[in-house]
Amino acid sequence: MAVSIENLYQIYKKSTGVSTDTRNIQQGNIFFALKGPSFNANEFAEDALSKGAAYAVVDDQKVVKDERFLLVDNVLDTLQKLSRHHRRQFSIPFIAITGSNGKTTTKELVNTVLAAKYKTYATKGNLNNHIGIPLTLLSIATDTEIAIIEMGANHQQEIAGYCKIAEPTHGLITNIGKAHLEGFGGIEGVKKGKGELYDYLLETNGTAFVYSENEVLLSMSKFKEPIMYPGENDFYHCELVSADPFVKLKTENNNTVETALIGAYNYENIAAALCIGKYFKVPAQDAERAVASYVPQNNRSQIVEQGTNHIVLDAYNANPSSMKVAIQNFKKIAADKKIAILGDMLELGSESPAEHRAIGDLLKNAGFTKVFLCGPHMKEAAAVMPDAEYSEKRDALESKLKSLAPKHCHILIKGSRGMGLEKLLEVL
């Protein structure tokens, strides 16, 4: 007989947490034996127990050997239901953040600001999918005062499903851009898919934070009283002073705040964090100090000093929208020698050739000292920009960069996660 969610929750409360990876088992964990296209973790349940797991949740009767094996109908479904059950033990704000670009940076900034006053818990790393969100929820301690949940998606109905698990009380869509076009079915599909967060908040009388200078978000927002920013008559007001290259802004208290974030596009993320901070009554000086002290990590708009070179490392993700603003921002940086190293933008489907050619057209007038393009899709950009150095594979690009041995240069590295362009740091 399958174990019930209520009984499983009692076991969870006495455990040291949950795990889905036998390589990271901690003593006293509950191991969830998930299945994927090329693996079936039911086969590793016994191994998880031998490594210290207290229980293993499985959905294959054949692997059950004793009472430590908890049989359920579907392990993933059980993990999601257990996480929702845990979430329902809280009566605190749950803030959901999604969008095409900037959601992780916004999540980190919001967490940094709110942590100045509250005990917060925010999504770690990129645990923002059908497995990561349940794991995030189950990691929230009972004394948490505000939770910030990042939601990624590459097809419609995905955000809607995550909302049913995390049940957010508040939400923010950073922007709508050309990301995951293949899965969403074009830009209108992206709007519909990301807009599922707004739909959920409308249905549940939740609160939405809306960037008032984004016409697309304004057209999607059907809320009677959204929390608007950063316009002069909005709930929170601030202004971009400069982004050359670091974002500097003037707050509604007329204070000038200098940040460690590059690019005008990050101004929107900072403004969102300050707005949410004000909404939750974080003292203004604490919120401003928090955004000023935030330093980006994980290959997202990082500034890396490598020898005599200044490197803008933005190799965690790339789509036409984020690639365009990264190039435009890099153009504004005052430097004698600028090198752009750009890799494929993935998951664009049939629109991939045209979108990569558009990047090539944008690069033609950028005025960079040198442009390196990498990946089979970037061949389209190279076709319209013959001056660029093109390599189909990263190792060929590494050889070219090693031979060039650039010195005293500003270098932009931007590409989709699958390209692994952060490894180029080793030869720069």
Side-chain angles (χ1 to χ4, degrees), residues 261-308:
L261 287 156
I262 63 166
Y265 52 90
N266 269 314
Y267 163 69
E268 301 175 23
N269 306 329
I270 298 163
L274 291 173
C275 173
I276 292 173
K278 179 182 177 180
Y279 180 85
F280 286 105
K281 297 180 171 54
V282 176
Q285 62 182 20
D286 294 340
E288 291 165 13
R289 190 181 301 117
V291 297
S293 64
Y294 173 75
V295 178
Q297 297 176 340
N298 299 326
N299 305 329
R300 290 180 170 89
S301 298
Q302 282 182 262
I303 299 293
V304 179
E305 303 293 334
Q306 194 91 326
T308 61

mmCIF file of all heavy atoms in Angstrom, residues 261-308:
data_model
loop_
_atom_site.group_PDB
_atom_site.id
_atom_site.type_symbol
_atom_site.label_atom_id
_atom_site.label_comp_id
_atom_site.label_asym_id
_atom_site.label_seq_id
_atom_site.Cartn_x
_atom_site.Cartn_y
_atom_site.Cartn_z
ATOM 1 N N LEU A 261 26.848 46.006 -10.352
ATOM 2 C CA LEU A 261 26.173 45.389 -11.496
ATOM 3 C C LEU A 261 26.404 46.213 -12.751
ATOM 4 O O LEU A 261 26.283 47.442 -12.720
ATOM 5 C CB LEU A 261 24.673 45.276 -11.225
ATOM 6 C CG LEU A 261 24.285 44.196 -10.217
ATOM 7 C CD1 LEU A 261 22.958 44.522 -9.567
ATOM 8 C CD2 LEU A 261 24.215 42.838 -10.900
ATOM 9 N N ILE A 262 26.724 45.549 -13.849
ATOM 10 C CA ILE A 262 26.969 46.250 -15.106
ATOM 11 C C ILE A 262 25.724 46.217 -15.986
ATOM 12 O O ILE A 262 24.893 45.319 -15.875
ATOM 13 C CB ILE A 262 28.156 45.641 -15.873
ATOM 14 C CG1 ILE A 262 27.849 44.181 -16.270
ATOM 15 C CG2 ILE A 262 29.433 45.718 -15.070
ATOM 16 C CD1 ILE A 262 28.793 43.630 -17.295
ATOM 17 N N GLY A 263 25.609 47.204 -16.850
ATOM 18 C CA GLY A 263 24.542 47.203 -17.839
ATOM 19 C C GLY A 263 23.257 47.854 -17.370
ATOM 20 O O GLY A 263 22.775 47.576 -16.276
ATOM 21 N N ALA A 264 22.712 48.713 -18.212
ATOM 22 C CA ALA A 264 21.473 49.404 -17.869
ATOM 23 C C ALA A 264 20.329 48.425 -17.626
ATOM 24 O O ALA A 264 19.398 48.717 -16.874
ATOM 25 C CB ALA A 264 21.102 50.376 -18.990
ATOM 26 N N TYR A 265 20.399 47.238 -18.248
ATOM 27 C CA TYR A 265 19.342 46.241 -18.067
ATOM 28 C C TYR A 265 19.236 45.792 -16.606
ATOM 29 O O TYR A 265 18.175 45.355 -16.163
ATOM 30 C CB TYR A 265 19.566 45.038 -18.983
ATOM 31 C CG TYR A 265 20.945 44.418 -18.900
ATOM 32 C CD1 TYR A 265 21.220 43.397 -18.004
ATOM 33 C CD2 TYR A 265 21.985 44.851 -19.723
ATOM 34 C CE1 TYR A 265 22.478 42.833 -17.913
ATOM 35 C CE2 TYR A 265 23.243 44.294 -19.651
ATOM 36 C CZ TYR A 265 23.485 43.273 -18.745
ATOM 37 O OH TYR A 265 24.755 42.716 -18.668
ATOM 38 N N ASN A 266 20.330 45.900 -15.848
ATOM 39 C CA ASN A 266 20.280 45.509 -14.438
ATOM 40 C C ASN A 266 19.598 46.551 -13.560
ATOM 41 O O ASN A 266 19.237 46.262 -12.415
ATOM 42 C CB ASN A 266 21.686 45.219 -13.918
ATOM 43 C CG ASN A 266 22.057 43.745 -14.073
ATOM 44 O OD1 ASN A 266 21.277 42.869 -13.759
ATOM 45 N ND2 ASN A 266 23.247 43.497 -14.580
ATOM 46 N N TYR A 267 19.411 47.750 -14.095
ATOM 47 C CA TYR A 267 18.684 48.786 -13.355
ATOM 48 C C TYR A 267 17.276 48.301 -13.009
ATOM 49 O O TYR A 267 16.782 48.535 -11.909
ATOM 50 C CB TYR A 267 18.631 50.072 -14.186
ATOM 51 C CG TYR A 267 17.593 51.073 -13.728
ATOM 52 C CD1 TYR A 267 17.735 51.741 -12.512
ATOM 53 C CD2 TYR A 267 16.474 51.340 -14.511
ATOM 54 C CE1 TYR A 267 16.771 52.657 -12.089
ATOM 55 C CE2 TYR A 267 15.520 52.254 -14.101
ATOM 56 C CZ TYR A 267 15.670 52.906 -12.886
ATOM 57 O OH TYR A 267 14.724 53.806 -12.463
ATOM 58 N N GLU A 268 16.622 47.614 -13.939
ATOM 59 C CA GLU A 268 15.267 47.103 -13.702
ATOM 60 C C GLU A 268 15.256 46.117 -12.536
ATOM 61 O O GLU A 268 14.331 46.112 -11.721
ATOM 62 C CB GLU A 268 14.744 46.405 -14.958
ATOM 63 C CG GLU A 268 14.681 47.300 -16.182
ATOM 64 C CD GLU A 268 14.269 46.533 -17.429
ATOM 65 O OE1 GLU A 268 13.627 45.466 -17.281
ATOM 66 O OE2 GLU A 268 14.595 46.977 -18.535
ATOM 67 N N ASN A 269 16.290 45.272 -12.468
ATOM 68 C CA ASN A 269 16.376 44.272 -11.407
ATOM 69 C C ASN A 269 16.581 44.938 -10.046
ATOM 70 O O ASN A 269 15.985 44.531 -9.038
ATOM 71 C CB ASN A 269 17.518 43.300 -11.691
ATOM 72 C CG ASN A 269 17.420 42.667 -13.063
ATOM 73 O OD1 ASN A 269 16.327 42.470 -13.584
ATOM 74 N ND2 ASN A 269 18.544 42.343 -13.663
ATOM 75 N N ILE A 270 17.422 45.969 -10.024
ATOM 76 C CA ILE A 270 17.689 46.705 -8.784
ATOM 77 C C ILE A 270 16.434 47.444 -8.335
ATOM 78 O O ILE A 270 16.065 47.431 -7.151
ATOM 79 C CB ILE A 270 18.850 47.696 -8.985
ATOM 80 C CG1 ILE A 270 20.129 46.945 -9.337
ATOM 81 C CG2 ILE A 270 19.073 48.543 -7.735
ATOM 82 C CD1 ILE A 270 21.214 47.834 -9.939
ATOM 83 N N ALA A 271 15.758 48.101 -9.281
ATOM 84 C CA ALA A 271 14.532 48.838 -8.959
ATOM 85 C C ALA A 271 13.474 47.903 -8.372
ATOM 86 O O ALA A 271 12.761 48.261 -7.424
ATOM 87 C CB ALA A 271 13.995 49.533 -10.209
ATOM 88 N N ALA A 272 13.369 46.687 -8.918
ATOM 89 C CA ALA A 272 12.407 45.714 -8.398
ATOM 90 C C ALA A 272 12.711 45.373 -6.943
ATOM 91 O O ALA A 272 11.808 45.327 -6.096
ATOM 92 C CB ALA A 272 12.432 44.442 -9.248
ATOM 93 N N ALA A 273 13.981 45.162 -6.655
ATOM 94 C CA ALA A 273 14.378 44.805 -5.288
ATOM 95 C C ALA A 273 14.092 45.943 -4.311
ATOM 96 O O ALA A 273 13.606 45.716 -3.192
ATOM 97 C CB ALA A 273 15.855 44.439 -5.255
ATOM 98 N N LEU A 274 14.371 47.164 -4.720
ATOM 99 C CA LEU A 274 14.115 48.311 -3.849
ATOM 100 C C LEU A 274 12.617 48.530 -3.641
ATOM 101 O O LEU A 274 12.173 48.890 -2.550
ATOM 102 C CB LEU A 274 14.763 49.565 -4.436
ATOM 103 C CG LEU A 274 16.298 49.586 -4.418
ATOM 104 C CD1 LEU A 274 16.828 50.782 -5.180
ATOM 105 C CD2 LEU A 274 16.826 49.586 -2.979
ATOM 106 N N CYS A 275 11.838 48.298 -4.682
ATOM 107 C CA CYS A 275 10.378 48.416 -4.565
ATOM 108 C C CYS A 275 9.828 47.383 -3.577
ATOM 109 O O CYS A 275 9.041 47.709 -2.683
ATOM 110 C CB CYS A 275 9.730 48.229 -5.939
ATOM 111 S SG CYS A 275 7.919 48.165 -5.896
ATOM 112 N N ILE A 276 10.267 46.142 -3.726
ATOM 113 C CA ILE A 276 9.797 45.074 -2.842
ATOM 114 C C ILE A 276 10.271 45.330 -1.410
ATOM 115 O O ILE A 276 9.539 45.092 -0.443
ATOM 116 C CB ILE A 276 10.268 43.702 -3.370
ATOM 117 C CG1 ILE A 276 9.533 43.393 -4.683
ATOM 118 C CG2 ILE A 276 10.026 42.600 -2.345
ATOM 119 C CD1 ILE A 276 10.011 42.145 -5.395
ATOM 120 N N GLY A 277 11.494 45.855 -1.273
ATOM 121 C CA GLY A 277 11.992 46.211 0.048
ATOM 122 C C GLY A 277 11.108 47.247 0.721
ATOM 123 O O GLY A 277 10.749 47.127 1.896
ATOM 124 N N LYS A 278 10.725 48.282 -0.031
ATOM 125 C CA LYS A 278 9.843 49.317 0.519
ATOM 126 C C LYS A 278 8.490 48.721 0.895
ATOM 127 O O LYS A 278 7.926 49.029 1.962
ATOM 128 C CB LYS A 278 9.657 50.452 -0.495
ATOM 129 C CG LYS A 278 8.727 51.553 0.015
ATOM 130 C CD LYS A 278 8.524 52.647 -1.026
ATOM 131 C CE LYS A 278 7.542 53.708 -0.523
ATOM 132 N NZ LYS A 278 7.316 54.779 -1.519
ATOM 133 N N TYR A 279 7.943 47.862 0.034
ATOM 134 C CA TYR A 279 6.633 47.258 0.280
ATOM 135 C C TYR A 279 6.631 46.484 1.598
ATOM 136 O O TYR A 279 5.652 46.518 2.352
ATOM 137 C CB TYR A 279 6.262 46.335 -0.889
ATOM 138 C CG TYR A 279 4.931 45.659 -0.735
ATOM 139 C CD1 TYR A 279 3.750 46.286 -1.113
ATOM 140 C CD2 TYR A 279 4.859 44.371 -0.206
ATOM 141 C CE1 TYR A 279 2.516 45.655 -0.960
ATOM 142 C CE2 TYR A 279 3.634 43.736 -0.056
ATOM 143 C CZ TYR A 279 2.469 44.378 -0.435
ATOM 144 O OH TYR A 279 1.255 43.751 -0.288
ATOM 145 N N PHE A 280 7.739 45.796 1.862
ATOM 146 C CA PHE A 280 7.834 45.011 3.096
ATOM 147 C C PHE A 280 8.522 45.784 4.226
ATOM 148 O O PHE A 280 8.985 45.200 5.193
ATOM 149 C CB PHE A 280 8.551 43.688 2.817
ATOM 150 C CG PHE A 280 7.690 42.702 2.068
ATOM 151 C CD1 PHE A 280 7.911 42.459 0.714
ATOM 152 C CD2 PHE A 280 6.650 42.046 2.695
ATOM 153 C CE1 PHE A 280 7.117 41.558 0.014
ATOM 154 C CE2 PHE A 280 5.846 41.144 2.006
ATOM 155 C CZ PHE A 280 6.078 40.906 0.662
ATOM 156 N N LYS A 281 8.584 47.121 4.050
ATOM 157 C CA LYS A 281 9.022 48.028 5.115
ATOM 158 C C LYS A 281 10.469 47.797 5.586
ATOM 159 O O LYS A 281 10.789 47.962 6.766
ATOM 160 C CB LYS A 281 8.057 47.966 6.301
ATOM 161 C CG LYS A 281 6.650 48.443 5.931
ATOM 162 C CD LYS A 281 5.710 48.383 7.126
ATOM 163 C CE LYS A 281 4.375 49.072 6.826
ATOM 164 N NZ LYS A 281 3.702 48.580 5.616
ATOM 165 N N VAL A 282 11.330 47.432 4.658
ATOM 166 C CA VAL A 282 12.761 47.415 4.961
ATOM 167 C C VAL A 282 13.227 48.870 4.989
ATOM 168 O O VAL A 282 12.943 49.619 4.046
ATOM 169 C CB VAL A 282 13.552 46.634 3.891
ATOM 170 C CG1 VAL A 282 15.060 46.710 4.168
ATOM 171 C CG2 VAL A 282 13.092 45.180 3.845
ATOM 172 N N PRO A 283 13.912 49.315 6.029
ATOM 173 C CA PRO A 283 14.386 50.706 6.068
ATOM 174 C C PRO A 283 15.173 51.049 4.801
ATOM 175 O O PRO A 283 16.008 50.257 4.347
ATOM 176 C CB PRO A 283 15.282 50.742 7.312
ATOM 177 C CG PRO A 283 14.710 49.673 8.195
ATOM 178 C CD PRO A 283 14.260 48.587 7.269
ATOM 179 N N ALA A 284 14.884 52.222 4.233
ATOM 180 C CA ALA A 284 15.471 52.614 2.946
ATOM 181 C C ALA A 284 16.992 52.533 2.955
ATOM 182 O O ALA A 284 17.598 52.037 1.996
ATOM 183 C CB ALA A 284 15.022 54.026 2.580
ATOM 184 N N GLN A 285 17.621 53.006 4.018
ATOM 185 C CA GLN A 285 19.086 52.999 4.035
ATOM 186 C C GLN A 285 19.631 51.567 4.050
ATOM 187 O O GLN A 285 20.684 51.299 3.451
ATOM 188 C CB GLN A 285 19.620 53.779 5.239
ATOM 189 C CG GLN A 285 19.230 53.211 6.602
ATOM 190 C CD GLN A 285 19.767 54.063 7.745
ATOM 191 O OE1 GLN A 285 20.102 55.226 7.560
ATOM 192 N NE2 GLN A 285 19.845 53.475 8.932
ATOM 193 N N ASP A 286 18.916 50.646 4.685
ATOM 194 C CA ASP A 286 19.347 49.247 4.700
ATOM 195 C C ASP A 286 19.184 48.613 3.318
ATOM 196 O O ASP A 286 20.036 47.846 2.865
ATOM 197 C CB ASP A 286 18.542 48.453 5.732
ATOM 198 C CG ASP A 286 18.833 48.900 7.153
ATOM 199 O OD1 ASP A 286 19.889 49.523 7.383
ATOM 200 O OD2 ASP A 286 17.993 48.633 8.044
ATOM 201 N N ALA A 287 18.072 48.935 2.648
ATOM 202 C CA ALA A 287 17.824 48.399 1.309
ATOM 203 C C ALA A 287 18.858 48.922 0.318
ATOM 204 O O ALA A 287 19.397 48.163 -0.506
ATOM 205 C CB ALA A 287 16.413 48.774 0.849
ATOM 206 N N GLU A 288 19.152 50.206 0.403
ATOM 207 C CA GLU A 288 20.132 50.807 -0.505
ATOM 208 C C GLU A 288 21.529 50.257 -0.244
ATOM 209 O O GLU A 288 22.295 49.996 -1.183
ATOM 210 C CB GLU A 288 20.105 52.330 -0.347
ATOM 211 C CG GLU A 288 18.810 52.946 -0.875
ATOM 212 C CD GLU A 288 18.589 54.378 -0.410
ATOM 213 O OE1 GLU A 288 19.548 54.991 0.114
ATOM 214 O OE2 GLU A 288 17.455 54.885 -0.549
ATOM 215 N N ARG A 289 21.855 50.054 1.015
ATOM 216 C CA ARG A 289 23.154 49.471 1.360
ATOM 217 C C ARG A 289 23.252 48.039 0.820
ATOM 218 O O ARG A 289 24.302 47.597 0.362
ATOM 219 C CB ARG A 289 23.340 49.485 2.875
ATOM 220 C CG ARG A 289 24.752 49.133 3.330
ATOM 221 C CD ARG A 289 24.876 49.137 4.841
ATOM 222 N NE ARG A 289 24.534 50.432 5.407
ATOM 223 C CZ ARG A 289 23.527 50.656 6.233
ATOM 224 N NH1 ARG A 289 22.745 49.647 6.586
ATOM 225 N NH2 ARG A 289 23.296 51.856 6.715
ATOM 226 N N ALA A 290 22.142 47.326 0.856
ATOM 227 C CA ALA A 290 22.126 45.933 0.387
ATOM 228 C C ALA A 290 22.401 45.840 -1.105
ATOM 229 O O ALA A 290 23.221 45.018 -1.549
ATOM 230 C CB ALA A 290 20.782 45.290 0.726
ATOM 231 N N VAL A 291 21.742 46.676 -1.914
ATOM 232 C CA VAL A 291 21.972 46.597 -3.363
ATOM 233 C C VAL A 291 23.364 47.108 -3.726
ATOM 234 O O VAL A 291 23.982 46.636 -4.690
ATOM 235 C CB VAL A 291 20.890 47.343 -4.175
ATOM 236 C CG1 VAL A 291 19.527 46.723 -3.964
ATOM 237 C CG2 VAL A 291 20.859 48.824 -3.871
ATOM 238 N N ALA A 292 23.890 48.046 -2.959
ATOM 239 C CA ALA A 292 25.233 48.563 -3.226
ATOM 240 C C ALA A 292 26.298 47.511 -2.947
ATOM 241 O O ALA A 292 27.341 47.469 -3.607
ATOM 242 C CB ALA A 292 25.500 49.813 -2.384
ATOM 243 N N SER A 293 26.026 46.637 -1.991
ATOM 244 C CA SER A 293 27.023 45.639 -1.595
ATOM 245 C C SER A 293 26.902 44.328 -2.368
ATOM 246 O O SER A 293 27.794 43.473 -2.291
ATOM 247 C CB SER A 293 26.893 45.343 -0.095
ATOM 248 O OG SER A 293 25.628 44.759 0.187
ATOM 249 N N TYR A 294 25.821 44.163 -3.137
ATOM 250 C CA TYR A 294 25.621 42.903 -3.865
ATOM 251 C C TYR A 294 26.641 42.742 -4.995
ATOM 252 O O TYR A 294 26.825 43.643 -5.815
ATOM 253 C CB TYR A 294 24.200 42.832 -4.437
ATOM 254 C CG TYR A 294 23.993 41.637 -5.337
ATOM 255 C CD1 TYR A 294 23.862 40.368 -4.804
ATOM 256 C CD2 TYR A 294 23.971 41.790 -6.722
ATOM 257 C CE1 TYR A 294 23.700 39.265 -5.626
ATOM 258 C CE2 TYR A 294 23.804 40.688 -7.551
ATOM 259 C CZ TYR A 294 23.676 39.429 -6.995
ATOM 260 O OH TYR A 294 23.522 38.334 -7.816
ATOM 261 N N VAL A 295 27.293 41.582 -5.029
ATOM 262 C CA VAL A 295 28.274 41.279 -6.077
ATOM 263 C C VAL A 295 27.786 40.058 -6.855
ATOM 264 O O VAL A 295 27.587 38.987 -6.269
ATOM 265 C CB VAL A 295 29.664 40.988 -5.478
ATOM 266 C CG1 VAL A 295 30.651 40.619 -6.579
ATOM 267 C CG2 VAL A 295 30.167 42.198 -4.698
ATOM 268 N N PRO A 296 27.564 40.187 -8.169
ATOM 269 C CA PRO A 296 27.052 39.054 -8.956
ATOM 270 C C PRO A 296 28.057 37.905 -9.012
ATOM 271 O O PRO A 296 29.265 38.124 -8.994
ATOM 272 C CB PRO A 296 26.814 39.663 -10.339
ATOM 273 C CG PRO A 296 27.693 40.860 -10.398
ATOM 274 C CD PRO A 296 27.769 41.381 -8.999
ATOM 275 N N GLN A 297 27.500 36.687 -9.087
ATOM 276 C CA GLN A 297 28.331 35.489 -9.173
ATOM 277 C C GLN A 297 27.723 34.539 -10.187
ATOM 278 O O GLN A 297 26.806 34.885 -10.915
ATOM 279 C CB GLN A 297 28.433 34.827 -7.792
ATOM 280 C CG GLN A 297 29.124 35.709 -6.745
ATOM 281 C CD GLN A 297 29.117 35.068 -5.372
ATOM 282 O OE1 GLN A 297 28.326 34.185 -5.086
ATOM 283 N NE2 GLN A 297 30.030 35.511 -4.515
ATOM 284 N N ASN A 298 28.292 33.338 -10.265
ATOM 285 C CA ASN A 298 27.747 32.269 -11.112
ATOM 286 C C ASN A 298 27.680 32.639 -12.587
ATOM 287 O O ASN A 298 26.713 32.342 -13.281
ATOM 288 C CB ASN A 298 26.352 31.848 -10.622
ATOM 289 C CG ASN A 298 26.383 31.316 -9.206
ATOM 290 O OD1 ASN A 298 27.353 30.687 -8.816
ATOM 291 N ND2 ASN A 298 25.346 31.588 -8.442
ATOM 292 N N ASN A 299 28.726 33.320 -13.089
ATOM 293 C CA ASN A 299 28.839 33.624 -14.524
ATOM 294 C C ASN A 299 27.766 34.565 -15.043
ATOM 295 O O ASN A 299 27.493 34.615 -16.234
ATOM 296 C CB ASN A 299 28.810 32.335 -15.363
ATOM 297 C CG ASN A 299 29.863 31.330 -14.938
ATOM 298 O OD1 ASN A 299 30.939 31.724 -14.471
ATOM 299 N ND2 ASN A 299 29.574 30.055 -15.093
ATOM 300 N N ARG A 300 27.135 35.326 -14.139
ATOM 301 C CA ARG A 300 26.099 36.271 -14.552
ATOM 302 C C ARG A 300 26.617 37.692 -14.403
ATOM 303 O O ARG A 300 26.741 38.199 -13.298
ATOM 304 C CB ARG A 300 24.838 36.093 -13.702
ATOM 305 C CG ARG A 300 24.075 34.810 -13.969
ATOM 306 C CD ARG A 300 22.864 34.774 -13.059
ATOM 307 N NE ARG A 300 21.960 33.705 -13.400
ATOM 308 C CZ ARG A 300 22.027 32.469 -12.908
ATOM 309 N NH1 ARG A 300 23.000 32.159 -12.069
ATOM 310 N NH2 ARG A 300 21.161 31.550 -13.258
ATOM 311 N N SER A 301 26.922 38.338 -15.523
ATOM 312 C CA SER A 301 27.375 39.736 -15.510
ATOM 313 C C SER A 301 28.504 39.966 -14.500
ATOM 314 O O SER A 301 28.556 40.996 -13.845
ATOM 315 C CB SER A 301 26.202 40.678 -15.207
ATOM 316 O OG SER A 301 25.220 40.566 -16.202
ATOM 317 N N GLN A 302 29.384 38.983 -14.392
ATOM 318 C CA GLN A 302 30.520 39.119 -13.496
ATOM 319 C C GLN A 302 31.636 39.923 -14.149
ATOM 320 O O GLN A 302 31.890 39.799 -15.343
ATOM 321 C CB GLN A 302 31.093 37.742 -13.122
ATOM 322 C CG GLN A 302 30.313 36.981 -12.091
ATOM 323 C CD GLN A 302 30.982 35.662 -11.765
ATOM 324 O OE1 GLN A 302 30.587 34.627 -12.301
ATOM 325 N NE2 GLN A 302 31.986 35.679 -10.915
ATOM 326 N N ILE A 303 32.308 40.731 -13.353
ATOM 327 C CA ILE A 303 33.523 41.382 -13.816
ATOM 328 C C ILE A 303 34.698 40.570 -13.282
ATOM 329 O O ILE A 303 34.852 40.404 -12.070
ATOM 330 C CB ILE A 303 33.621 42.834 -13.307
ATOM 331 C CG1 ILE A 303 32.443 43.665 -13.838
ATOM 332 C CG2 ILE A 303 34.936 43.466 -13.721
ATOM 333 C CD1 ILE A 303 32.453 43.881 -15.333
ATOM 334 N N VAL A 304 35.499 40.039 -14.184
ATOM 335 C CA VAL A 304 36.638 39.204 -13.807
ATOM 336 C C VAL A 304 37.917 39.884 -14.272
ATOM 337 O O VAL A 304 38.062 40.216 -15.448
ATOM 338 C CB VAL A 304 36.530 37.794 -14.437
ATOM 339 C CG1 VAL A 304 37.735 36.943 -14.050
ATOM 340 C CG2 VAL A 304 35.227 37.120 -14.035
ATOM 341 N N GLU A 305 38.821 40.102 -13.347
ATOM 342 C CA GLU A 305 40.137 40.657 -13.694
ATOM 343 C C GLU A 305 41.074 39.478 -13.935
ATOM 344 O O GLU A 305 41.383 38.716 -13.027
ATOM 345 C CB GLU A 305 40.664 41.537 -12.549
ATOM 346 C CG GLU A 305 39.732 42.683 -12.173
ATOM 347 C CD GLU A 305 39.608 43.727 -13.263
ATOM 348 O OE1 GLU A 305 40.539 43.864 -14.077
ATOM 349 O OE2 GLU A 305 38.569 44.407 -13.302
ATOM 350 N N GLN A 306 41.502 39.317 -15.172
ATOM 351 C CA GLN A 306 42.366 38.190 -15.535
ATOM 352 C C GLN A 306 43.658 38.750 -16.134
ATOM 353 O O GLN A 306 43.680 39.168 -17.291
ATOM 354 C CB GLN A 306 41.655 37.292 -16.550
ATOM 355 C CG GLN A 306 42.300 35.936 -16.736
ATOM 356 C CD GLN A 306 41.717 34.898 -15.805
ATOM 357 O OE1 GLN A 306 41.347 35.230 -14.691
ATOM 358 N NE2 GLN A 306 41.637 33.661 -16.250
ATOM 359 N N GLY A 307 44.702 38.822 -15.327
ATOM 360 C CA GLY A 307 45.928 39.444 -15.803
ATOM 361 C C GLY A 307 45.697 40.913 -16.073
ATOM 362 O O GLY A 307 45.223 41.649 -15.210
ATOM 363 N N THR A 308 45.983 41.341 -17.300
ATOM 364 C CA THR A 308 45.759 42.740 -17.680
ATOM 365 C C THR A 308 44.394 42.949 -18.333
ATOM 366 O O THR A 308 44.072 44.059 -18.741
ATOM 367 C CB THR A 308 46.855 43.208 -18.659
ATOM 368 O OG1 THR A 308 46.797 42.403 -19.852
ATOM 369 C CG2 THR A 308 48.244 43.100 -18.026
#
